[in-house]
Each structure stands twice: as C-alpha cells, then as structure tokens.
Amino acid sequence: MANGRVVQTADRTIGSRQLAALLPAEVLARPGYRTLAEAVRTLILDGRIALHVRLPAERELAEAVGASRATVTGAYDLLRESGYVRSRRGSGTWTELPEGHRPVGAHALVGAGGYSADGEPGIDLAIAAMGAPDGALADALAWAAPRLPDAARSPGYHPFGLPDLRTAVAERFTRRGLPTRPEQILVTSGAQQAFTLVVGLLCRAGDRVVTENPTYANALDALRHARLRTGSIAVSDTGWDMEIAESTLRQTVPRLAYAIPDFHNPTGALMPEDQRLRLLAATRRTGTWLVVDETIADIALDVPPPAPLASLAPRGGADHVVTIGSLSKTHWGGLRVGWIRATAKMVTELTALRVSADMTGSVLDQLVALPLLDGMDRTLPARLDQLRERRAALVDALQRHTPEWSWRIPPGGLSLWVDLGEPVSSALAERAAAAGVHIGRGARFGVDPGTFEHRLRLPYTLPADRLDEGVRRLAAAFHDGVPLPPSVDRPHWVA
C-alpha cells in the first residue's frame, strides 16, 4: 500500500514500488547506500515494514528508487551486517531484528527495565502511565472480595461486560453531559482492544482512514495491521488546523477518523469547542465514523475536565461517533478495563466480534473496577496534584540539563512533546538505551516515515528524582555522545 501505512501482503513480500513509496523524499533525491540502509532500518524499527517479510530484489529496488544496483547491494550488505535483514541463497532477503531487539510494540511497553552500560538502574521515559494510587487498589480488592463468591456461581461469561459496570460507565457519561444507557456500553480489556474492535468491525483492508499527525503510536500500529490507507491531519503545539481537516475529510471521504481531542497524545493540545463542532459536522457530512479516544480526558491539570465531544452534537446527531476510554491512565494500566460507547446496535455487533477473539473480560478485574470508577471524583484530585508536581519537576530538569530544547506545557495529559532542535531522535534513543534510559522517539508517533525525528515524547509520570536522573542521562547522551550499542555503532547510523 502506498505511503505504506501497511507493507505486508499475503505472501510476506513487499514490492519495489511499495518500498519506494515508504522512503523519505530526501533518500529518493540522493539515494546513497548508507542513507538507503538507514531509511529501511528505520521502517523496520517503526513497524512500517513487518518482520520476516521478503524485500525486493536488488535490481528491482534500484530501478524503483533511481539508484544503481551497487547502491542497493551496499545498503543490503549494511543491513545484513547490523542484523536487520538476512539472506538465503535462492530465497531472497528477509527482514528481522538484531539479537536483543524487540518488535516495535513490545519494545515500547517493556521499557528500559534493566541497567545502563555502567550498571545504573534503568529509567523508563517512554510509557505515559503511573503506578496504581496508594491504597486504592487494596481498597477496591477488599470491596470486591466478598462479592466474588456470588459472581463465581455463574459461568462467568459476560461478553458485554458486567451489568453493574456497564451501568456505572453509562452513568458517568450521563453526569459528564452525554446521556447514555447501559446497552450503549461494551466493557473491553482496555482502550486498545476497544479501538481494535471498532476498526475490525467498521473497516476492511484498503479502506481510507484519517488520523491526527502525530498521534498515539499503538493506534497507528492497529491501523497498519488492519492494512488501511491512512491520511492525516496535522496537529501542532498550538492545535488543529480545522480548515485542512475539513478539506482532507471532504477530498478523501474516509471510512473512519480517529481523534484525541482531550489533551492530545503526544502534543497535549486541547481541542476548542468550535473546532469540535466543526469536526462533528464534517465527519457527518462525509459519512465518516468518528472514533474519539477519551483515555486521557480526565487528566485535566490546568483547565476544567472537558465534556464528551459527542455531547456537543444536536439530538440524534452523534450516532456516527464512537467513544472509547479506560481506567489505565486514571488508575492503573495493569487493570485491563476499558469501554466503548456507541449505539446499542453497534455495541451488539462489536460484542459478536469480541466473542470471536476473547469471549469475555475478567470478572475479577471488572469487580475491582466498580468501586474505582464510582469513587473517581473523590480520588482523582490527589492524582492530578501529584501529576502537576511531577510535570513541574520534569520542566525543571529540562531547563537545567537541556536548555536548548523547547516544549510547551500542556493543560493536561501525561507528557511533554519536546523539540530537540535537530533530527536526532532515533539516534538519541539508541544512545539513551546504552545509558539505561528508554524514550519515545518522535518517529513512533508519525503517520509518515521519517517525520518527527526532531521530537521526543517525555512523560512526567515518574517520581521527581527519577525524572531528573533520566533527563541528566539523556542530556549526557545528547551532548557527549554516549557510545551507541554494538548493533548500530557505525557512523552511518547517526542522524
């Protein structure tokens, strides 16, 4: 698929034109073997080219990118040396990862975990989520424990979700200004499953979809795995260009649009009400399903919490809006409880699809979620105070250690979208890993290859001392050039 939102076919082969369409313009303009190898390596790391996919023959790729065969041969040789491809006589060249590297999605979740080359404990500055609030999980378990025996007398299959939890989620939507009935709620195993189910129901391979750019990296992965053609709407530090958004929707008429209007991930921007109304109207005119991700909507640090976007539509005017959310950011990512709010008809269709994947969610998790959700208005303020303190600590650390970087302090959310001033994000991520720091490089959040190399997403979810130490190590890697890991310790890999 061009502009390669997906580069995986039934026979696990990517064509030369497909690969050429994925390459940045500057590589096609001057296709040297080192720049070509670096571009292909980045596509593999970003998941835009799947693992164990056969690359084009050298002669075919050379014709597609306007290079000599020797250039492509040299690029493939470099990729083989560094462990990103392997070749077998008679069967071609296949993508893989070097020893010690993980697939892109798993790598993003595992984090630094271990230690730096000097034996210092690892620091995870990639996952934008906190540990569970003190005491809340224990209290919720204590509440759920005496109720579990009654629940255990049933077979335990609740594909729509526990009735009490569906009611609680519906009531919270209603209190926030969007009248909702329990039959409009499907409880899922987190917001990522919710999004994947919606995409699986509404889209087929080759359909057009539109997302913001940058956007949530795992949502992009889901769209690529579904083999969808992805268009984009730019989101800057100052927000959305709604004229371009309306034009994009009008010209592409996408099947689905995915938006994070509340403390957008990764920029932290908050969509104004007038733009929300325009987005609602534009998607309704084009017959586009609008999927609104509210995962971070409750993390309002400097402004009142926003009302659901669908609540702004006139009566009956939001049937094309699907809203997803979870308890992962407000409470704990280890509690896999999320939800979908849609029409009752769609919830029934989504549930039929869900049953084919995992039958039902965990009853225990849902029982624990009930008191957490019911008590959120009482417990969330302390959580937000803690985040404000940690946000201030991260800003202070950046000002002291990396004053040449720039950022905008968002009114909510969990991270800063930092501008490095030069396109070194991927190289810095490799250096930082050697220093025991795992970071979310900007390219992970871009729709198109090679974009946002000058950006990092830095969460303020760790304690202040860990944030300071993490930024100190990042600054050392940025300023002093911490040696790259062996798999990429070559001059041509350095941005």
Side-chain angles (χ1 to χ4, degrees):
M1 185 173 303
N3 287 328
R5 313 309 184 223
V6 176
V7 292
Q8 180 176 332
T9 58
D11 59 357
R12 307 290 291 178
T13 299
I14 176 173
S16 58
R17 291 184 180 180
Q18 285 179 296
L19 180 51
L22 290 171
L23 297 171
E26 58 269 23
V27 173
L28 296 175
R30 300 183 64 182
Y33 75 98
R34 289 182 173 177
T35 56
L36 179 58
E38 168 67 8
V40 173
R41 167 185 170 271
T42 299
L43 292 171
I44 295 170
L45 285 173
D46 283 350
R48 297 173 193 273
I49 298 178
L51 298 178
H52 314 301
V53 165
R54 186 169 60 190
L55 295 176
E58 293 172 3
R59 187 184 301 279
E60 294 175 1
L61 184 58
E63 293 176 358
V65 302
S68 67
R69 182 173 180 179
T71 296
V72 177
T73 300
Y76 279 12
D77 285 344
L78 286 177
L79 289 167
R80 270 189 292 271
E81 291 171 15
S82 55
Y84 287 91
V85 302
R86 57 181 170 81
S87 297
R88 295 199 305 266
R89 186 179 298 275
S91 63
T93 300
W94 298 73
T95 60
E96 63 179 15
L97 287 178
E99 191 71 28
H101 282 61
R102 301 183 183 91
V104 62
H107 184 74
L109 287 175
V110 170
Y115 295 85
S116 72
D118 297 327
E120 295 293 324
I123 299 175
D124 193 339
L125 290 178
I127 297 179
M130 301 176 72
D134 291 342
L137 208 55
D139 292 344
L141 282 166
W143 182 92
R147 292 164 175 80
L148 186 59
D150 285 341
R153 294 188 182 97
S154 74
Y157 291 98
H158 300 276
F160 288 91
L162 286 183
D164 287 350
L165 185 55
R166 297 177 75 198
T167 298
V169 174
E171 288 176 349
R172 182 163 180 80
F173 272 112
T174 300
R175 289 196 302 273
R176 295 175 58 222
L178 181 61
T180 302
R181 305 184 309 276
E183 55 264 34
Q184 292 179 268
I185 299 297
L186 170 62
V187 178
T188 62
S189 298
Q192 185 67 17
Q193 186 193 53
F195 181 63
T196 303
L197 285 173
V198 171
V199 170
L201 177 69
L202 299 179
C203 301
R204 296 293 177 267
D207 281 351
R208 292 185 181 274
V209 297
V210 165
T211 75
E212 297 147 330
N213 190 31
T215 191
Y216 180 49
N218 290 326
L220 283 176
D221 288 342
L223 296 176
R224 290 169 187 144
H225 287 312
R227 292 189 272 178
L228 303 176
R229 293 184 290 170
T230 310
S232 62
I233 299 168
V235 181
S236 68
D237 286 336
T238 56
W240 293 254
D241 187 326
M242 199 49 63
E243 289 187 6
I244 292 179
E246 290 169 331
S247 175
T248 299
L249 289 165
R250 184 172 59 252
Q251 292 175 15
T252 62
V253 192
R255 175 68 173 165
L256 179 148
Y258 170 70
I260 312 173
D262 307 313
F263 317 121
H264 174 263
N265 185 359
T267 70
L270 179 63
M271 185 182 286
E273 183 173 315
D274 65 314
Q275 293 189 359
R276 293 170 185 249
L277 289 169
R278 291 173 68 178
L279 182 61
L280 278 168
T283 50
R284 189 165 185 82
R285 282 195 300 270
T286 57
T288 299
W289 291 101
L290 176 57
V291 181
V292 177
D293 189 338
E294 282 197 342
T295 308
I296 316 178
D298 289 305
I299 312 298
L301 302 179
D302 301 328
V303 294
L309 186 146
S311 68
L312 299 178
R315 185 175 180 85
D319 286 352
H320 70 299
V321 181
V322 179
T323 305
I324 63 177
S326 78
L327 291 178
S328 294
K329 306 304 183 184
T330 55
H331 289 81
W332 188 41
L335 191 68
R336 302 310 301 155
V337 173
W339 51 81
I340 301 170
R341 185 215 180 261
T343 63
K345 179 177 181 294
M346 179 178 286
V347 164
T348 300
E349 294 170 347
L350 286 165
T351 304
L353 182 62
R354 186 257 181 88
V355 166
S356 69
D358 73 345
M359 298 293 289
T360 186
S362 162
V363 171
L364 179 57
D365 281 15
Q366 293 179 68
L367 281 174
V368 170
L370 264 170
L372 295 177
L373 188 65
D374 288 341
M376 186 184 297
D377 293 338
R378 297 188 304 274
T379 60
L380 189 58
R383 188 80 152 171
L384 300 183
D385 285 343
Q386 188 178 44
L387 281 168
R388 292 185 190 99
E389 293 173 359
R390 294 183 177 186
R391 182 181 62 180
L394 177 58
V395 168
D396 177 68
L398 290 170
Q399 288 173 338
R400 285 186 289 107
H401 297 300
T402 55
E404 66 272 47
W405 295 357
S406 61
W407 58 89
R408 173 182 172 273
I409 298 178
L414 296 161
S415 56
L416 302 182
W417 187 230
V418 177
D419 189 337
L420 303 175
E422 51 185 311
V424 296
S425 177
S426 292
L428 179 58
E430 300 285 0
R431 291 190 173 113
V437 179
H438 185 50
I439 55 177
R441 56 199 179 91
R444 279 282 287 135
F445 303 89
V447 174
D448 299 305
T451 54
F452 304 111
E453 269 295 319
H454 62 300
R455 292 281 192 170
L456 289 181
R457 190 192 70 169
L458 292 181
Y460 37 82
T461 50
L462 294 178
D465 61 333
R466 301 300 286 160
L467 290 172
D468 186 74
E469 175 63 16
V471 172
R472 186 193 66 77
R473 295 189 200 178
L474 270 183
F478 183 78
H479 294 137
D480 304 329
V482 171
L484 295 175
S487 60
V488 291
D489 193 9
R490 296 180 175 85
H492 53 274
W493 287 143
V494 181

